[in-house]
Amino acid sequence: MATTRTLFVTALAALTLTACSNTEPDTPTAAHYPASQPDSGPAGGEIDDRMNLEYTDLPALARLDPVLLMALHSAAADARSSGVDVYVTSGWRSAGYQQRLFDEAVTRYGSTDEAGRWVQTPNNSKHVTGRAVDVGPTDAADWMIQHGNDYGLCQTYANEMWHFEMATTPGGTCPGPLDDPSDERAVG
Ligand SMILES: [Zn+2]
């Protein structure tokens, strides 16, 4: 189906792949992660960048935990059959990229404590270990909140409707989300 959206995503992925070919494979480029990506702050509800799950060569997808990636593919296929397209807006991130995000958040929010409510440090981020994924657009995140547990995928932070981790067995019950990423520090 050659919709405008499909063409846009195809073009975006082509550009992203081109950008990657000249850089270290583990160094995500700005093309992967625009400043407006969700984890960069509360204004990030808008989603500009969408990675189609078919583009498996992208490090942001290829370096996700295989179990999470498989669950995501299953969920996205079922969402699609319900008329909901699921895109990945952020997947695996290098530690360097996560540090830049954190530093930017400190600048934006004025303190490391406040920044920590929105962005994890590289040592704590599940994105750096490939065990977290952000999805969009909003209807996809809504679908995932309702059905993600069928695949083991759970919303883990109440203030990030787009962020999912494997947090239960498929068909199990998701634990209640933490208020925000800084909660995790309390439990190590
Ligand atoms: Zn996230």
Side-chain angles (χ1 to χ4, degrees), residues 38-95:
D39 277 0
S40 64
E46 323 122 17
I47 291 160
D48 294 340
D49 191 20
R50 296 176 180 178
M51 284 178 276
N52 190 313
L53 277 164
E54 291 169 22
Y55 296 108
T56 52
D57 288 344
L58 292 174
L61 296 178
R63 297 191 177 201
L64 285 174
D65 174 67
V67 174
L68 183 151
L69 189 56
M70 199 179 306
L72 191 59
H73 273 286
S74 296
D78 290 344
R80 177 87 269 293
S81 65
S82 303
V84 176
D85 289 320
V86 175
Y87 295 91
V88 171
T89 58
S90 191
W92 170 84
R93 301 170 184 159
S94 71

Side-chain angles (χ1 to χ4, degrees), residues 39 90 93 127 132-134 157 160 162-164:
D39 277 0
S90 191
R93 301 170 184 159
H127 283 282
V133 67
D134 297 345
Y157 304 125
E160 296 187 4
W162 50 81
H163 177 106
F164 292 85

Side-chain angles (χ1 to χ4, degrees), residues 13-145:
L15 282 172
T16 306
L17 287 168
T18 302
C20 276
S21 64
N22 294 325
T23 58
E24 289 291 318
D26 61 349
T27 306
T29 65
H32 287 138
Y33 307 109
S36 60
Q37 74 159 285
D39 277 0
S40 64
E46 323 122 17
I47 291 160
D48 294 340
D49 191 20
R50 296 176 180 178
M51 284 178 276
N52 190 313
L53 277 164
E54 291 169 22
Y55 296 108
T56 52
D57 288 344
L58 292 174
L61 296 178
R63 297 191 177 201
L64 285 174
D65 174 67
V67 174
L68 183 151
L69 189 56
M70 199 179 306
L72 191 59
H73 273 286
S74 296
D78 290 344
R80 177 87 269 293
S81 65
S82 303
V84 176
D85 289 320
V86 175
Y87 295 91
V88 171
T89 58
S90 191
W92 170 84
R93 301 170 184 159
S94 71
Y97 179 68
Q98 186 71 31
Q99 184 67 53
R100 286 202 299 281
L101 281 183
F102 187 77
D103 292 345
E104 287 167 12
V106 172
T107 300
R108 181 185 297 187
Y109 300 112
S111 72
T112 54
D113 281 353
E114 187 60 19
R117 294 187 58 236
W118 299 101
V119 183
Q120 292 273 20
T121 61
N123 283 344
N124 289 331
S125 175
K126 297 287 201 308
H127 283 282
V128 174
T129 56
R131 295 179 185 277
V133 67
D134 297 345
V135 303
T138 301
D139 63 339
D142 277 337
W143 190 95
M144 202 69 83
I145 287 169

